[in-house]
Amino acid sequence: MFCAFTLVQRTAPQHLINILTNHSSTSIARVSDKPISTFFDSAFWVADNGAGLLIYVAIFWTIIAWAERKYGSPRMIVITLSGHILASLTTIFLELWAINSGRAPSSLAMATDVGVSYIMVAGCAAAILLMKKWLHYIGLVAIGLFILLPLFIDHSIWDTGHLFATIFGFISARLLLKLSPVRTVSSPYELLLKCRSELSNK
C-alpha cells in the first residue's frame, strides 16, 4: 500500500498531491473534523512525495516482519497503531499548548503531519524489546540516533512525534508481553534446515 501511494504521488500533479496530503494529515483541524478517517488515511500516506520509501520497505520486511512473527499480527497491529494514534494525539496536544501559549502561530493548526514513520518506529521499538544481547544494544543506539539527532538539530514538532511514537511502542509492547509471552517461532535459518531435511527424506 505504501508503494502504491508513492507511485500515485510520483505520477500525479503536485497540486493534487498537496490536496491529498492536506486531506490525509493528522493536523489539529483535520482530527477535530474527522478523527477516525484522518488517522486511517494518514497511516498509509508516505510523506514528502514518497521520500525514503526503500528504507521503509527494508525495515518493514526485516525488523518489523521478524517482530510480527514473535508477537503475532494482532498484537503487532495494536503496538503500531498505539504508536501512530497516541503519538499523533500527544503531538496535537503539544501543538495546541504552543498555539495557546503564544509560542507558535495559529497556522500550526493546519500543518501537515502524514506518513508511516510513527508506525515504523513503534514497530522497531517492539522489535528491539525482543532482541538479545548485543543486538539489543545496537538496536537501542540505532533508534536513539534516528530519533534524537533530528530532534536536537531541527527542533521540529514532528521529530518530537517520533520520540512519542517510540515511547508508546515500547510501553504497549511491554504491556502486551505481560499478558502473554512471545510466540515460539523458527528462525529463517532453522526453517531452511527443516526444508532441506524434508527434501532429503523424500
Side-chain angles (χ1 to χ4, degrees):
M1 292 183 74
F2 303 146
C3 292
F5 282 126
T6 299
L7 291 175
V8 169
Q9 292 192 60
R10 291 181 178 175
T11 56
Q14 187 59 48
H15 70 276
L16 176 60
I17 299 305
N18 294 338
I19 293 172
L20 292 173
T21 301
N22 289 329
H23 178 78
S24 302
S25 171
T26 51
S27 62
I28 296 173
R30 286 290 301 159
V31 171
S32 300
D33 185 31
K34 296 181 178 179
I36 296 176
S37 62
T38 299
F39 281 122
F40 181 83
D41 294 341
S42 176
F44 297 105
W45 191 256
V46 182
D48 302 322
N49 290 347
L53 179 70
L54 291 180
I55 297 174
Y56 288 132
V57 171
I59 291 176
F60 274 101
W61 278 1
T62 54
I63 298 171
I64 296 177
W66 173 78
E68 186 176 357
R69 293 180 67 229
K70 303 286 281 185
Y71 284 98
S73 296
R75 282 195 289 187
M76 203 62 191
I77 290 172
V78 171
I79 291 168
T80 53
L81 283 183
S82 70
H84 173 53
I85 296 174
L86 295 179
S88 295
L89 287 173
T90 307
T91 304
I92 286 172
F93 287 129
L94 191 59
E95 290 173 341
L96 286 171
W97 170 80
I99 293 171
N100 293 331
S101 63
R103 297 174 184 269
S106 58
S107 59
L108 185 62
M110 297 297 295
T112 57
D113 186 10
V114 296
V116 299
S117 55
Y118 288 4
I119 292 174
M120 183 184 70
V121 295
C124 287
I128 291 169
L129 201 59
L130 300 182
M131 292 177 180
K132 304 295 183 182
K133 298 180 180 178
W134 57 272
L135 275 177
H136 177 75
Y137 296 108
I138 290 177
L140 286 175
V141 170
I143 200 168
L145 290 174
F146 178 81
I147 299 299
L148 297 178
L149 277 181
L151 185 61
F152 287 121
I153 293 172
D154 298 330
H155 306 290
S156 90
I157 190 75
W158 300 279
D159 293 322
T160 307
H162 290 139
L163 176 62
F164 291 144
T166 304
I167 293 171
F168 286 124
F170 273 122
I171 292 173
S172 58
R174 175 66 73 181
L175 291 175
L176 289 171
L177 286 176
K178 287 185 178 294
L179 294 176
S180 62
V182 293
R183 302 189 307 176
T184 302
V185 295
S186 301
S187 67
Y189 178 70
E190 290 170 336
L191 290 174
L192 180 61
L193 290 179
K194 183 178 179 181
C195 290
R196 282 183 177 176
S197 176
E198 291 178 352
L199 289 174
S200 62
N201 291 335
K202 291 181 179 179

